[in-house]
Structures are given as C-alpha cells and as structure tokens.
Amino acid sequence: MTTAAIATPNALRQDASLIGLIGLAHLVSHFSQLLLAPLFPWIKDAFDVSYAQLGLLLTVFFVVSCSVQALSGFWVDRYGPRPILFVGLSLIAVAAFGYSVSTNYAMLMLFSVLAGAGNGVFHPADFTLINRKVSAQRLGHAYSAHGITGSLGWAVAPALLVPLTLAYNWRVALACAGLLVVVVLAVLWVNRHQLVLLPAAAVSQPEPDLSAQRPVTEANTFGFLRIPAVWACFTFFFIFAIALSLVQVFAPQAARQLHGVPLALVAICITSFMVASAGGMVLGGFLVKDPLTAEKVVGSGFVVAAGVALVLGMATLPAVAVPVLFALMGFSSGIVGPSRDLLVKRATPVLATGRVYGVVYSGLDIGQAISPLLFGVLMDQGAYRTVFIGLALVFGLLVLSTLSVQRARRTPTALATP
C-alpha cells in the first residue's frame, strides 16, 4: 500500500474539517451584509430617518468592505489568514452589539464602518486557506461549500432577526446576532490549529497556468497587478455583483408588478432563488473535477440565466410560475460558483493568493454598491420590463467576461520588477 493511500482517510478528515470552519466564517460574512436591511422598518421609526438614509448605511458598508478587502489581501500574504480572519469576526461582533445599543443615526453609521471593515477580510483569508491547504481533488467541493455557506448566511439573517424583533424588539435581535458571531469566533478559536498556514507550507495543488510568470516576492509586491487575468476576474465579479444585487433587491418587486404576483409569493421568489442557487453550487462542485471545463460551465450557466430573465421580462406568466423561474435562474447561476472560483485560482500566483483575491473580490462590493443606483431609477419610472431586460444583458456580459478571463489567463505577463 502506498503512502498516499494510507494518508487518504486522514487527508479527507482534515479537508472536511477545514472546509467546515472556513464555511462557518463565510456564513458570518454574508450574515453581516443583511444585519440591518431586514430591520429597516423598525429602525426607520426608531430614528425617524428616511429609506435613503438607511440605504446610505449599506453603501458605506460596501465601500469600506471594498477598501478593506483589497488591503486585507496584502495582510493575509504577510501575516497569514488566521489572525486576519479573527480580526474580521471580532469587528462584526462589535458592530452587531454596537447597532443594538445605538441611540442616533451617527452611531449606526460608525458601526456600519466597523461591520464593513470586518466583512472585507473573508475572501482573501478563505480562499488562501482553501487553495493552499485543501487537497486538489476536493477543490471543487471546497468552492461549492464556500458558496453554499455564503447563501445560507443571507438566508439566516432575516430568518433570525425578524422573528426576534417581532417577539422582543430590534435591539434584542441585533444583540443575538452579535452572540451568534461570538459563538462562531469561539469555534474557530478552539480549532485555530487547523487555520495555520506556515510560510513553508507545501501547496497541495498544481501551480496555476502562469508558466511564463515569475513568482511574486516581497521585492515584487505589486507585480500581480500586471497579470491581465487579475483585472479580467475583477471585472467579472463587478458585473456578477450587479446581477446579484438586482435579483435580491428589485427583480421580485418588478415581477410583482408585471405578473400580479401576491406579496407572499414575492418573498418566496428570492427564497427560491437562493435555495436553488445553493443546490446549483452542490452540483457545480462535481463539475469542476476537470479544470478544463470551468469556462464552459460558467458560460452555459449564465446563458440559461439570461434566457430565464428575458422570459420573466417579456412573457405573460401566471403568478405561480414566477417563483419557479426564479428558482431556475438561481440554479443556473449557482452552478457556476465553484467553476468561477477555480478560474480565479488558476489565474493566481501561489505566493500572492491573498493579494489577488483581495483585489478580485473587491469587485463584488463595488458592484453591490452601485447596482441600486443604476436600476433604482428604472423602478421609480415603472420600467419593470426594462429591469429584466437589463438583468438579461448583465448575465450576457458575464458570458463575455468569462471568455475574457479565459483569454487573459493564457496571456503571459512577466512579474519582474521593472
């Protein structure tokens, strides 16, 4: 029996445990993004502010998160992912408790800054751990689990906060949210030995397809910025965030106006999208065993999602069919998640993992910050069909962006210091 065969069961346990811990942290990241939004009706009355002012809290959250995400990539590469991850979780816990005791709008803004700073560390830290510690044959499943736990974080926030607010009040709900984050932090602290990434740690996956590039070194800190694939991936995530924000914020309401969807089914639309998206990620984890198929999976998934968006915008549909179509759109866009993450991994120099993911995934925050500004105007003008046509166009842009990533990844770019 070979050494590899003997080590396989232990390696499987280690990978599963690590993936679970990283997933818990990622759940908190997405959970933090919806700490305030489900409670807007109560917070609005408590502080006598407008929805525009409440929306500004979210804009500030994502702007800060974007800035910190780019910076935290450098910190992860320098200090390792574990301390950065702990700092992020701690900031989110403090922000949740801070929200719960806020007495004015300025305090809410301050804690939105803290929450955004905490949210900004997760992608560089998570993907550095995944790419450098998870076995190559389980990378697809790791990306899948990472995406699923993020979707669960979005689902858990309203499911926890709204019932607690109805039973007690919004302050109690946010305090309980803070306790949940502390529990997750405690779990990661107890298992902190699994999150160690030693400077000399062996990389369990093959090097990315960057044979013409020199490794990133301390003397060449910003060399990764000259890799075309980095900016192609950044653009991809920027466009993807616009689509995601549009689906979460405006598409259900636009469907309600176009197809006479009852309010109860409007809520089910976004739920069906997120649940189906998580299911798509499970299947997507199996489809990326062969890395060469990643571009095809991503492109095909978004083509289907674009087609569904056009049907929702142009066809005359019974109300009951709308949540089903949202589920199909969610499944087809969710299935691309693991392949999407693999594309970024293949474009990433090993010693610059944190930096690359910090820059690339900051595109998500920027897209989520500006999407409401772009499509909110259409909603105010009653251009509901145009909203879905716009969503289809965004999905189409994602197909083109995938091709751009594919071309850029194969473009040799030296990382030598000029």
Side-chain angles (χ1 to χ4, degrees):
M1 184 176 292
T2 65
T3 302
I6 295 174
T8 297
N10 187 48
L12 176 59
R13 286 193 296 270
Q14 290 176 349
D15 283 350
S17 179
L18 178 63
I19 291 169
L21 292 172
I22 295 171
L24 269 178
H26 193 224
L27 184 149
V28 170
S29 170
H30 284 232
F31 179 76
S32 72
Q33 295 172 21
L34 291 182
L35 278 177
L36 290 183
L39 305 180
F40 274 178
W42 293 277
I43 295 175
K44 182 178 185 296
D45 292 339
F47 294 97
D48 191 25
V49 293
S50 66
Y51 278 112
Q53 288 173 295
L54 293 174
L56 181 60
L57 296 175
L58 299 183
T59 298
V60 168
F61 175 98
F62 283 112
V63 168
V64 173
S65 178
C66 170
S67 303
V68 171
Q69 187 154 216
L71 290 173
S72 65
F74 291 87
W75 300 333
V76 166
D77 287 337
R78 184 175 181 85
Y79 302 109
R82 186 176 69 176
I84 307 304
L85 204 56
F86 288 160
V87 169
L89 288 165
S90 300
L91 287 174
I92 290 174
V94 170
F97 289 125
Y99 284 142
S100 72
V101 298
S102 293
T103 57
N104 54 57
Y105 181 78
M107 291 181 68
L108 291 176
M109 183 64 73
L110 170 64
F111 291 116
S112 292
V113 171
L114 287 183
N119 181 67
V121 311
F122 288 94
H123 282 125
D126 290 356
F127 282 110
T128 295
L129 285 168
I130 289 174
N131 288 338
R132 293 182 61 182
K133 295 199 72 172
V134 174
S135 302
Q137 65 269 29
R138 284 182 280 275
L139 265 183
H141 301 297
Y143 295 145
S144 177
H146 190 261
I148 290 168
T149 53
S151 295
L152 290 176
W154 279 325
V156 166
L160 174 70
L161 296 171
V162 173
L164 284 173
T165 300
L166 293 173
Y168 301 98
N169 57 62
W170 63 271
R171 295 184 184 277
V172 171
L174 286 166
C176 290
L179 287 175
L180 175 61
V181 179
V182 169
V183 169
V184 171
L185 178 58
V187 171
L188 266 64
W189 177 261
V190 170
N191 295 278
R192 60 190 180 278
H193 61 282
Q194 298 186 51
L195 304 174
V196 174
L197 187 64
L198 299 177
V203 180
S204 58
Q205 298 82 34
E207 293 276 349
D209 186 15
L210 297 170
S211 56
Q213 301 174 5
R214 288 175 46 186
V216 175
T217 64
E218 286 297 321
N220 193 23
T221 302
F222 295 95
F224 76 98
L225 293 175
R226 295 200 298 277
I227 303 175
V230 170
W231 296 108
C233 291
F234 171 89
T235 303
F236 175 92
F237 280 101
F238 170 75
I239 299 170
F240 178 77
I242 293 176
L244 180 63
S245 178
L246 179 53
V247 169
Q248 290 179 324
V249 178
F250 296 126
Q253 289 298 327
R256 176 181 171 229
Q257 298 294 333
L258 286 175
H259 306 296
V261 179
L263 283 174
L265 284 182
V266 170
I268 292 175
C269 286
I270 186 61
T271 301
S272 64
F273 180 93
M274 298 309 303
V275 172
S277 177
M281 290 176 191
V282 174
L283 177 58
F286 292 93
L287 295 179
V288 294
K289 286 185 176 180
D290 178 8
L292 297 178
T293 65
E295 292 96 344
K296 295 179 181 178
V297 172
V298 175
S300 300
F302 287 132
V303 166
V304 173
V308 174
L310 283 176
V311 171
L312 284 165
M314 304 302 294
T316 301
L317 301 169
V320 70
V322 173
V324 176
L325 289 172
F326 266 80
L328 178 58
M329 186 165 54
F331 184 84
S332 59
S333 59
I335 203 173
V336 311
S339 294
R340 173 201 68 192
D341 294 334
L342 184 61
L343 288 178
V344 181
K345 191 262 181 185
R346 294 171 70 196
T348 304
V350 174
L351 298 181
T353 303
R355 278 167 274 179
V356 171
Y357 277 91
V359 170
V360 166
Y361 277 82
S362 65
L364 283 175
D365 293 328
I366 298 174
Q368 285 179 293
I370 73 167
S371 183
L373 301 178
L374 296 176
F375 289 94
V377 175
L378 294 177
M379 291 293 292
D380 289 337
Q381 294 177 349
Y384 306 118
R385 293 190 187 278
T386 307
V387 168
F388 280 109
I389 293 172
L391 178 58
L393 289 174
V394 173
F395 280 131
L397 286 175
L398 283 169
V399 177
L400 297 177
S401 182
T402 302
L403 297 175
S404 175
V405 171
Q406 181 181 7
R407 289 194 301 269
R409 184 179 59 80
R410 294 166 181 164
T411 301
T413 303
L415 294 181
T417 305

